[in-house]
Amino acid sequence: MNEESATIEPRRTKLTLVKAAGVVGMIIGVLLIVVGVVAWIGVTNQLTAEKITIPDDAIAFQGQQVTGPFTAYVQADIINTHALSASGGKTYAELDQDDPARATVMQASFLRASLFTSVVAYGVSLFAVGMGAVCIIFGWAIVRLAGAPVVIRRSTVAATSA
C-alpha cells in the first residue's frame, strides 16, 4: 500500500504541472488575442484620423477613406503611380540631386513607407490573434489530456522460435 501511494503521488504532481501548463497556454492565448485586437484598432484609428481619401484613378476603393490594410495598400500604390508620373518614370534614386521632382518623389516615398508600415502592423496583429487562438486550442487540449485517465495494458507476446 505504501509503495502504491508513493508511485501515484509523483504522477499526480506531474499531471498538475501539465494542467497548469495548459492553463498558462490558454491565458497566453487570450492575451495574444487581446493585444492583436487592440493593435488592429489602434492602427485603424490612426489611419482614420488622417482622413486620407483614395483618388478616383486608383485600382480599387476609389473615393473611400483609408481605414484598413487593403485601402492602405491601394493608397500606397496610387501614390507610387503619381510619383512616377511626376518624375517621368524615375525613382528617387534615379533623379539628379537638382531635379525639382526629387522632393515630391521623396515625400511620396515616405508616405508609401508609412502606409506599408500600417499594412505590416495589420498583418502582425492578425498573426497575434491567430497564434492566440492556436495557444488556446493547444492549452485546452493539454488540460483535457492531463485530466484523462491513464490506462496501461500489459500484454504478453509469446516468443516464437524458428
Side-chain angles (χ1 to χ4, degrees), residues 37-108:
V37 169
V38 167
W40 185 284
I41 291 169
V43 174
T44 299
N45 288 340
Q46 290 299 313
L47 281 174
T48 303
E50 293 295 324
K51 297 181 180 165
I52 303 166
T53 302
I54 300 173
D56 292 335
D57 58 342
I59 59 173
F61 307 113
Q62 297 88 355
Q64 292 185 25
Q65 193 172 359
V66 176
T67 58
F70 299 113
T71 54
Y73 182 84
V74 168
Q75 181 65 22
D77 179 64
I78 195 63
I79 287 172
N80 186 49
T81 301
H82 290 168
L84 289 174
S85 175
S87 68
K90 292 183 178 179
T91 64
Y92 177 78
E94 295 171 322
L95 292 171
D96 292 332
Q97 286 187 349
D98 59 346
D99 193 322
R102 190 173 169 108
T104 301
V105 174
M106 179 178 63
Q107 187 173 14

Side-chain angles (χ1 to χ4, degrees), residues 4-19 146 148-152 154:
E4 184 177 316
S5 64
T7 58
I8 291 175
E9 193 58 39
R11 184 175 293 159
R12 284 187 188 160
T13 303
K14 287 179 185 175
L15 289 178
T16 303
L17 290 174
V18 171
K19 279 187 179 183
V150 177
V151 178
I152 300 173
R154 297 178 190 213

